[in-house]
Amino acid sequence: MHFLELLVELLLMPILAFVIGLAMVLMMRRIGARIQRRVGPPVLQPIYDIIKLYSKDTQISHGLMHEIGIIMAVGGYIAAETLLPVPGLDGLADKGGAVTLAYMLMIPALGMALGVGQCANPNGSIGISRALTAMLAYDIPFILVIFGASYVYGTTNLAEMISIQQQQGVSSWGIVQMPLLALTALLILPAIMGKHPFEIYVAPAEIATGPMVEMSGKFMGGLFVMQCFQLYTAGVIFTTLFLGGGVYWITFLPKIFLVVAIPMSVAYLFPRYRTEDVLRLMWKWPMLLGLIGLAVVMK
Amino acid sequence: MNELDKIPVRQEISVAQGSVKRSNPLANVFDELVRFCQSRSMFMLHYCTGCGAIELPPAMTSRFDMERLGIQPMVTPRQADILLITGYVSVKTLKRIILTYEQMPAPKYVIGICSCTVNGGMYWQSYATAKVLKEYLPVDIYIAGCMPRPEAVISGLRDLMGDIKSGSASNWKRYFQNYDHYLGNQQKLFDEDWQTPTDIIAEAEHYGLITDQTLGEHTALLQKHQQPLEALEFSLGEKREKIRGENQ
Amino acid sequence: MNLLVLMIALPLLTAFLLSSINRISTLAARWIGPLVLLATAVIGLSVWPQLGAAPLALQWGGFQAPLGITLYADQFALLFALAMTIGTLLLWPRSAENQLRSSSLALLLAGTGSGLALSGDLFNIYVFYELMTVVSYGLIAGRGTSGSFASTLRYLVISGFGAALALAGIALVYQATGTLNLAQLAQLAPEKLNNLQGFAAFVLMLIGFGVKAELFPVNMWVPEVYATASSRVSALLAGVVSKLALLIIMRLLILVFHQPEALTVLLVLGILGVASGELAAWRARDLNRMLAFSSIGQLGVMFIALSIPGNAGIFAALAVMVHHLFLKPSMFLLAERWGGSIEKLAGAARTSPIAAALFVLLALSLIGVPPLPGFWAKLLVIMPMLALDQPLYYLAVFVMLAAASLEANYLFRVVMKLYDKQPAATSHKVHATADLATALFLGGGLIAAVFMLVPLADRLDSIAAQATDVSTYIQTVAPQQLQSGRVQ
Amino acid sequence: MTALDTLLLISAITVGVALLAGNWRVGGWLVTILYALQGAALLMMSGLGYSTLTVVQSSFSIEVLSEQLLWRFDALSWFFALITIGAGLFSSWFASGEWGERYRDNGGSLRLFHGALALNVFTMLVLLASGDLLTLFIGWELVSWASFLIMALAGGKAFGYAMRYISYAFAGAMALLGGLLLIYAEVGSFDFQSLKEAAPQMQASTLWLLVVLLTSGFGVKMAILPFHLWQAKAYAQTPGPGAAFLGAISSRMGLFAFIVVVVQLIGISRLVEMEIPFTFLDAQDLLAWIAVFTIIIPTYIALRQHDARRLLAWHGVGQTGYMLLGIVIANDLGSAGGLMHVFNYASYQAMLFMVVVAVIHRTGTSDLNKLGGLFTRMPLSYLAMLIGIIGLAGLPPMNGFVSKWLIYRSLIVDGSPLLFLGAVIGTLGTILSVYKLIHNIFLGQLRVEHVAVREAPLSMVIPMMALAVIVFVTGYFPGLVLDWTSAVQASIGIPVLAHHLGGVSMKGGLDMIWIVSVLLIGFGFGTLVFFLGGRSRRVHQLDNYAGGHFLTAETRYHYSDNFYPGLMHLIGPWYRNSFEWLERGVISAVDTLSTAMQGLYRNAHPSYLLLAAVVFALSWVIV
């Protein structure tokens, strides 16, 4: 039937995600610079960085798993993007749904963790330990959000969630239906994206950027690509769950950029949290909000 | 103290290699693009050995903002393109600097900041200080001064940027090509069993940068003392004899 | 028919003649005891089939019942008479210095035991019971250690009290009915003994005879005696003699005392026996004491089974008794060389693998692991209790099940020690061949029972049915009395 | 002679052959072939797994206590038997080669090991075949003691753990016996059918008592809270492949019996009616919450282990919670998930144990703080462990994801956010813990003493790889297993899950064929992107950034101990060993009582008691 069409969609979705992700990285760095009253990087800086990293003459590898780890990290995101419906492109949204997506997103993290492990650098392992702990911290409220949304829309299919919100107008948007859960999601968004103030796992001065300590050249480049996907995914998921998704790119893009911009703008104002403080914070306020939100939603 | 011109540097090789033109015009464009990106995205490892480091924060923060030039600080040699050596280098520190340099992925550049890296500066008489950085590592740019202001630092970085863009900043290759010379100087300073856990000769082979200056008496001495450094290979069966030696 | 009398008379006679025989020939004195017992067993077995159809009553001493000495033999009684005889034969006491004395004591025990099982009136029962008690003092003290004397004394005191109480109970019965013949009592009981006096008589007799049956408050002698007596004697006392005492109580329950309170007393004492015995066994540090406490627990289960009204209770009790009859002597025989601290047993399985394996089998059966006989016996006890749907019986089930868990725990602690890979410092004694062979024979009986479960159950059921058939009892002993009873 | 007779006969023969020939060089292989034959006999009944057959009777039956004892197979038994025989086959295969020789050389009795393993399989088949409550109990006890046998084989410490197991198991069995006999008293028969008919009329109080007794009985074997303490240590100490076998299937027998009696016969709908006073909960909720705590607590205990076998064994306890949770939810999704998780879990748990045993075989330790960097030395074992941990953590593309997805989805459908949250907390803990497992063994720095280590022998690698293939293929095509679970659902009277080869056909369903394909293609593109960059150069593990420090082979440069300090800083104080405390409390209570009883028998003067009895009796007479 529309097999060819689907194939094109599947190809297009990761590419779009990457391009938009690049722009988001730029935006993030610009926001950071502006907050610090700097000029910030030029427009094409993310591309420069990636090209430079891929074109390094020395690509230091610590073994096969180090390489496979990076492949898993990038490949996993490429695959995950096809589960994420965007205007005009539903991809495989009906084959998996929100729960599948949430677990698919752990594949890149796992790949990266394995790759870092192979490097035999304790700084990397410490970073992974902290990153996994942080994941434990934010995933618990995140799962409340996923559950709440699935409950409200009566489905875990993201494409259906979008169509429900689109058909019934703004009043049916997630943010109106379940404002507390939206707030929860917003609170944990910087942690999901691994950004300030929850980036203890990179802690450059302390554990030499943690997981990235042995990453050079294209390995680092792969992680830069992954970061683009990461920001994009976070933005799109939030938009899909709470902001009605989008039928047109023209309305969709501002939403996802806004979603990413909000935590970024706030985040740079805070100092880093320690690991146990991340846990304590995440398990206190977002969790509380999430539970109340759920109670409200489920009556 | 060695004279600068006594260093047997074969300038013409590196220059010729740096600006080699490929016959395919597209490949040329590609090379240009890569060099441009490399020049516009420089990650630096500031090895803050001395007082010069104090000038870097202003260069990075709101006043001068290096990031607008695509220059970012990085904390591990694996991610860095530039090694900034910001001040005097004691003998003990130099060992670390050399290791760090060797762990950086090519193309890599060294910038010596402050007079101390040029000729020892105010430590010129110190017994514990390596005076001329250039004897041990191929330095791309010196930014002299005690200490140089942020403007000078940025200016130096821009010079390097230009060199990279034009393809003439290829001093890193000299380290491989003349490894015996650099190693000799290092051995003279440290001891004859001096070694780092990095395998420079294998890397030189990897990039085809072995010249007749790469290997010599000093590398022979090195190989006498060196622990074997082959990467760990997969093993399914019995053929373990080669790697077993690693333990001894 | 009259042969049955020989079952009692022959061993008794031999016992008294033994010393004379010994003067003539020591060899004959050594062998005559077992041979007589063998002969008695053969007699008993030859009578066995004909009892299936109808039980036999025997008036002895020239008077008719109720005045004469009445022997009553149904399969139930004969089973335990046989158990007594064969048990004594299997567990024939072997002591180097006092062979003569212990032989005659064993013969006496066998004779009195058979007599006890076959007696048909309370007075004879009391006489045989007392005789048996005295014989057991001798057997227990036979070891001659200070410990055995002390425990004998303790046993003596309690038995004395028990005997007095039993006698008081019998007196009460006699006062109420004017007879001690069981058949006549069975006739009179519904009107004369179905009151408080009857109940008091029952309780007194229960406690009195309960001394031997290891009934809860009067079983304080058990651990010390079994720990100090020789294992063969302990096996005999725990395995066989206790069952005979139980048999009397069963007879009394079936024939004379039908008060529901009687059952309640049995139940409560049984529960207390199980709980106290198994709990105490949990902390026992040597095998003999552990087995002693465990046998208190097992006897408790039998009392619980007896407290179930109707045929089912007798059947269940019979099953548990027969199971215990095989199991406990076997275990005590194994404990013969494994006495002392359990810690010292570490690694004993290496020196005596067969004994260790047998111990595992016995332990498994004791705690009731299917398909071994112990499980089915336990099932027979619990099933009718739950059907009764009464709180006290639920409690009993709970206590039994909890006790089984404890039992599994302490028995397998021993097993673990036996199979420990680090052997203890002292070397282990190997079992005497005779001990091991007897234990294996009894253990083999348990395994054989697994394969003959169905016929065995049927057989026990019919024995129980025969035992509970009161009217047959009365009719067999004294047909004319039955009629006159009605006239009265 | 029915197919079931054949199966049981071959299984019994396997026990005999194992006991007879276990010590021979070919003994292990002989036994392995016999397991394969058992598998073939099972396949003769494969109609059970596809709902074309409903029941296969055994022609053997006996009558005891006027009860007809029956043995038969239905879809549920078939499904569990498949896993049992598979686990037996692979474990025995694993044990047959070099592992067995080493075991024998170290003084172990291979005959006893193979015998115990075969006995376990046989007794489990007998249990699975039970056709009424009495045979169920008989099978139950046989299985318990067979597991005890294999646990105690190692001697030493294992004795203590096996002892603890049997104390729990026997107490559980007694609870079970109480429950079953209570049913008999209520229903008047041990027959399944009569219980099923009588259950709807039972009084709530009886039913409560029954559910408590049965669940504790079955729960001890499943090691659900609060009976979970025995399992991990006992399994971890079982010799090598025995641990793989026990870990894979042994405690599932509890689940099997739970499904048969509580789900199939009493019925979950009956549980829903049983409300707990003064709460919003009913019996089903209670069970679900027990399941959830069984997920969470053992998983986070596993996180603290530093012995690979214990870590896995504790996860085994935790994973049971998922199965129970799915089954207790009892809608089409949940029960399919719970059942499928039994299969999935068996496949990867056996494999993970095998990997750990292979590592012990080669390095002599399973201490996570004494290993590291074995990836280059044992790459195939690493691959197996990787696949296994992805399965255990429940991530795509392995089969563990599918079953967990089903359970999550059922909780969403059911509208139980807190149960869902609990299940996810368990999964997250699992991810943390399995990463630590693979990292500390295979990743990081290779220690000097392990440089000469080689890949495990083929006799060990092949079973691992075969299991890995199963884990992946049933993740790719979950329909293969869902066919069987659907047959089981049909036979135990739960709504059947609509499924296809790729997964679940429903609104917001799951199609693993697409998901996995797209993931693999994604990896393909990832590889392309990766090779856009220049050729990579492998460096020695000592060529590593250490803040300028010079690394040598003697430098321990591997992060392993206290792997999650940040997390432990916060949740560390929450580990209070409450259950250990509880257990010790019970033991000392029994101890005190026992001392009192001993005192009663030993010290208290018997005549006093006698006197009391007399006074009591006389007063009764007089009053």
Side-chain angles (χ1 to χ4, degrees), chain C residues 149-342:
Chain C
F149 285 132
S151 62
T152 311
L153 194 65
R154 180 180 256 209
Y155 181 37
L156 197 132
V157 169
I158 299 182
S159 284
F161 266 106
L165 288 184
L167 201 57
I170 292 172
L172 279 178
V173 169
Y174 189 75
Q175 190 232 345
T177 59
T179 179
L180 287 177
N181 188 294
L182 282 175
Q184 203 170 11
L185 281 176
Q187 280 176 306
L188 300 173
E191 52 181 292
K192 296 261 171 85
L193 285 174
N194 200 3
N195 53 18
L196 199 57
Q197 188 181 3
F199 178 61
F202 171 73
V203 171
L204 288 172
M205 278 197 269
L206 176 67
I207 291 174
F209 294 125
V211 175
K212 272 238 175 305
E214 302 172 22
L215 184 67
F216 167 62
V218 284
N219 52 9
M220 305 303 165
W221 55 273
V222 171
E224 291 309 313
V225 167
Y226 291 178
T228 50
S230 81
S231 288
R232 282 175 169 261
V233 171
S234 310
L236 213 49
L237 289 180
V240 191
V241 173
S242 62
K243 307 295 174 304
L244 288 173
L246 207 62
L247 175 115
I248 304 165
I249 296 167
M250 280 167 88
R251 278 269 191 250
L252 290 175
L253 267 181
I254 294 168
L255 297 173
V256 184
F257 300 105
H258 304 289
Q259 290 97 330
E261 295 89 359
L263 297 183
T264 313
V265 169
L266 273 177
L267 182 59
V268 170
L269 293 181
I271 291 173
L272 287 173
V274 173
S276 66
E278 301 292 6
L279 274 171
W282 196 71
R283 254 183 86 90
R285 291 287 173 266
D286 76 275
L287 194 53
N288 273 318
R289 273 205 180 74
M290 182 183 277
L291 293 180
F293 283 125
S294 136
S295 96
I296 292 176
Q298 294 297 318
L299 267 296
V301 172
M302 290 169 212
F303 282 110
I304 293 177
L306 275 184
S307 76
I308 302 165
N311 199 1
I314 303 298
F315 177 33
L318 199 57
V320 182
M321 279 159 79
V322 171
H323 173 242
H324 199 234
L325 200 61
F326 276 80
L327 194 131
K328 251 303 138 50
S330 183
M331 277 197 138
F332 268 113
L333 281 176
L334 290 182
E336 167 76 48
R337 293 293 159 91
W338 284 346
S341 166
I342 289 171

Side-chain angles (χ1 to χ4, degrees), chain D residues 176 271 337 339:
Chain D
L176 179 59
L271 295 185
L339 287 167

